[in-house]
Amino acid sequence: MNAHGWTLLAVYSVVLWLLAMPMGRYIAAVMEGRLRWAGRIEAGLCRLCGVKPEAEMGWLQYALALLLFNGLGVLAVYALQRLQLWLPLNPQGMANVSPDSSFNTAISFATNTNWQGYVGETTMSYLTQMLGLAVQNFFSAATGIVVVIALIRGFARHSAKAIGNLWVDLTRATLWLLLPLCIVYAVFLAQQGVVQNFDDYPVVQTLETQHYETPKLDAEGQPVKGADGQPVTEPQQTREQTLAMGPIASQEAIKMLGTNGGGFLNANSAHPYENPTPLTNFVQMLSIFLIPAGLCFAFGRMVQDRRQGWTVAAAMGVLFLVGAVAAMSFEQQGNPLLAPLGVDQGMSLAQAGGNMEGKETRFGIADTALFATITTDASCGAINGWHDSFTPLGGLVPLVNMQLGEVVFGGVGTGLYGMLIFAILAVFIAGLMIGRTPEYLGKKIEAHEMKMSSIAILVTPLLVLLGTAIAVLSPAGQAGVANPGAHGFSEILYAFTSAANNNGSAFGGLSANTPFYNVLLGIAMWFGRFGVIVPVLAIAGSLAAKKRIATTSGTLPTHGLLFGGLLIGIVLLVGLLNYVPALALGPVVEHLVLWK
């Protein structure tokens, strides 16, 4: 790492903590209903919708309502895509989206994954982008928030049968947290140059003739490979360029604040229309972590022990810093095959200036590697560089971040409830070591909680590894791979890791917009989301029903350095060991071959 990298990381960390603490206070006030000026509006909305805010739900009712709500969201987004040709706000006359792509995208945005197998600016109409994708960006983010709030209530309450009212929680998270932040944020982005309009796409003449290569595709839309196994390309040239327009700033705001990541444009936050300046790039990185970090401090306030929130936040912070330093260092080291000619073999075989392949010159190596670390620590698929072009170990960092369950701040809500599941596992293991019943925040951790925690922890590794195995063994899965060998395996592993962990970023190089991948990744996204949420809500209901136990001299303190270190160790051991063999077949072997 160079001086710029260290300075950037230090400034980012300081600003993040300064903003996260007041954000935590505000989130706690919103979700506990302590905003007096909001009460009348909430009451009016509840009457309009026939909701009784005082009627709270048990965990099963809460979970079923949540599944119904998100299932209806999937159907709405699917219908918009299949009918968009005949609907308004489609100045480019975008055709109806294919059934398999519509299925994948509908599940993707409803589950906060935002995996995109399509090119946004040539596939989705303005209406689909706004009424379908942007709306689900709000609702999927609110879903993550209300689940973690329900789990926090499970710790905070005792001898209670209910964990809250889902409809009230969704209203508060959307209306008083996400929407106001997004309005301010969208205005800032538009001021910085992010596009926000409903214009037709203009066609402009370029000053020079552009020469480029495009992959040759067969009748099924798959890349044609030559005798050497490499994709065959065809030369092209043009002096025209079509500039995409649309309501981008408004979708960009919730894309980042809701840790969604689905870009309006295919190039995502590497595109100057989505991320035009170094200032917007820095603010976008802050906005990804803002709510997840704030939720840690909201957790401490809601359980009436702020030290608990600080401990969880500190554990996340340590894991984040390790990953950020690693990614930035590996990318700054560069590619040994691109070392200057004539370099002495006794010298460091470093690429001059570091690995700039796949990175925007507006941002450079440090900013791109930090962005990649942040977006994969959170369940956010936003990118400002091409992860496929990272060095093998540089690309390993985003992959590992997701495989840890994205508990390093993570998505809005998902990161904290994922880390709290690891905390439950940590106190259980510690209880076995000291020979007493494990406790966390005054609640006994018993067989039911451990069974549900095990399901929540194991469901995503099973989806990732089984999905990758099916794709590697299937002709339809192999057909989408443009890069043979270890790198191609890494691309498939990354795709299923991203889908099952609801991240949405892509390694690239994998032709995934096929019926095979659209269906298989869609299934992984749905069960990766709700296969974790349902056990978490079951734990919340179980804990809420228990009495709080008084702290004794034999109680393991769940705050401070000792528990923080134990929590980090459990995350690394349990979260990562499932994937070690798969990682050895992909980025690790690629690194060894590169540096042989």
Side-chain angles (χ1 to χ4, degrees), residues 126 405 491 506:
Y126 293 165
E491 292 170 353

PDB file of all heavy atoms in Angstrom, residues 126 405 491 506:
ATOM      1  N   TYR A 126     -37.940   2.826 -18.224  1.00  0.00           N
ATOM      2  CA  TYR A 126     -37.920   3.709 -17.058  1.00  0.00           C
ATOM      3  C   TYR A 126     -38.946   3.260 -16.016  1.00  0.00           C
ATOM      4  O   TYR A 126     -38.684   3.306 -14.807  1.00  0.00           O
ATOM      5  CB  TYR A 126     -38.220   5.154 -17.471  1.00  0.00           C
ATOM      6  CG  TYR A 126     -37.155   5.805 -18.333  1.00  0.00           C
ATOM      7  CD1 TYR A 126     -37.428   6.977 -19.039  1.00  0.00           C
ATOM      8  CD2 TYR A 126     -35.884   5.264 -18.439  1.00  0.00           C
ATOM      9  CE1 TYR A 126     -36.477   7.589 -19.829  1.00  0.00           C
ATOM     10  CE2 TYR A 126     -34.920   5.864 -19.226  1.00  0.00           C
ATOM     11  CZ  TYR A 126     -35.220   7.029 -19.927  1.00  0.00           C
ATOM     12  OH  TYR A 126     -34.259   7.633 -20.696  1.00  0.00           O
ATOM     13  N   GLY A 405     -20.353 -14.778   5.164  1.00  0.00           N
ATOM     14  CA  GLY A 405     -21.750 -14.492   5.456  1.00  0.00           C
ATOM     15  C   GLY A 405     -22.053 -13.007   5.416  1.00  0.00           C
ATOM     16  O   GLY A 405     -23.141 -12.585   5.788  1.00  0.00           O
ATOM     17  N   GLU A 491     -14.871 -17.881 -11.373  1.00  0.00           N
ATOM     18  CA  GLU A 491     -16.026 -17.107 -11.837  1.00  0.00           C
ATOM     19  C   GLU A 491     -17.343 -17.786 -11.456  1.00  0.00           C
ATOM     20  O   GLU A 491     -18.301 -17.123 -11.031  1.00  0.00           O
ATOM     21  CB  GLU A 491     -15.941 -16.923 -13.350  1.00  0.00           C
ATOM     22  CG  GLU A 491     -14.793 -16.014 -13.779  1.00  0.00           C
ATOM     23  CD  GLU A 491     -14.551 -16.021 -15.274  1.00  0.00           C
ATOM     24  OE1 GLU A 491     -15.180 -16.832 -15.980  1.00  0.00           O
ATOM     25  OE2 GLU A 491     -13.728 -15.211 -15.739  1.00  0.00           O
ATOM     26  N   ALA A 506     -20.604  -9.343  -9.491  1.00  0.00           N
ATOM     27  CA  ALA A 506     -20.185 -10.437 -10.361  1.00  0.00           C
ATOM     28  C   ALA A 506     -18.683 -10.368 -10.582  1.00  0.00           C
ATOM     29  O   ALA A 506     -18.101  -9.285 -10.654  1.00  0.00           O
ATOM     30  CB  ALA A 506     -20.912 -10.368 -11.694  1.00  0.00           C
TER      31      ALA A 506
END
